Amino acid sequence: MTAPIPRDIPDLPPIPGHVVLPPTVVPARAVLIPARRRPVAVFRVAVALLALAGVTIELLTGGDPVTAVLSSFTVQSGILLALVMLVSARCAWSAQHPLPGALTGAALFYVAAAGLVQHVLPAGASPLFAASGGAGPAWQTAATQLLHTAVPVAAALDWLLFTAPGRLHLRHAPVWLLYPLAYLAFSLARGELLSPGSQDRYLYPFLDVARHGYKAVLGNALLVGLALYALAVLLVTLDHLRPSPLRRPR
């Protein structure tokens, strides 16, 4: 005679040592091994040397390197791009995983912004890059073309030809603007610390408080900031629309 079947069957105890893990998403870089890309590394070293050449010319011909040349947004962005390109070249040469897209995108964004300010707003260019009569105008012209034209174009070619798309995101855009915002504060503080009439007191005329006043300068900075944000959004959009130049992400 069989025992009656209970109406409620109690839950079975868990199997000792058996752990149920939740489903996870494994990023592609965790399973794909990067390949050596020595031609890409050589190109990136060349871009870094191009940027450093422009910075070096400015240091040699632009006056006091501490208070003027190194205070320029163009020079600072050129140095940042050179460092990023050198590290990226090492990653490509030794088959290591690439730098984060937020960092490489920021370096491209800053040199592109400096170039656009020079070409779209000539009156807002730094006096350091105004190649009018005086000592070494040819060298200053060369530095202008290197830092404002050749370097941004070379950085854009590296991004288009040697970098997988889809690595930039809209959340990067406001983060990239923190550096220009900090530079604005630095430029205004530097102008207040220097005595009136000092040479290169305000490196960018549209930030010249002595000439325009704080209200106009802050208005100019707001317009430039909105334009830079639009540029950042454009870079992110293009990064998701452009075709992949590589068969495998790098």
Side-chain angles (χ1 to χ4, degrees), residues 55-148:
V55 172
T56 301
I57 293 173
E58 281 302 322
L59 289 174
L60 296 177
T61 64
D64 187 347
V66 176
T67 61
V69 177
L70 292 180
S71 297
S72 169
F73 183 89
T74 300
V75 171
Q76 293 176 8
S77 61
I79 294 174
L80 173 63
L81 178 73
L83 294 176
V84 169
M85 282 293 169
L86 288 175
V87 177
S88 296
R90 183 179 182 274
C91 294
W93 185 275
S94 56
Q96 297 180 4
H97 287 294
L99 294 177
L103 178 59
T104 56
L108 170 63
F109 170 68
Y110 296 142
V111 295
L116 287 176
V117 169
Q118 170 70 17
H119 293 293
V120 178
L121 301 174
S126 169
L128 296 173
F129 303 101
S132 56
W139 285 108
Q140 292 178 356
T141 301
T144 299
Q145 296 303 321
L146 284 175
L147 293 174
H148 293 113

Side-chain angles (χ1 to χ4, degrees), residues 166-192:
R167 302 184 61 204
L168 306 181
H169 304 281
L170 284 178
R171 64 176 181 271
H172 296 153
V175 178
W176 292 343
L177 292 179
L178 293 179
Y179 170 48
L181 182 62
Y183 183 83
L184 171 64
F186 162 76
S187 180
L188 296 180
R190 178 180 179 274
E192 289 296 327

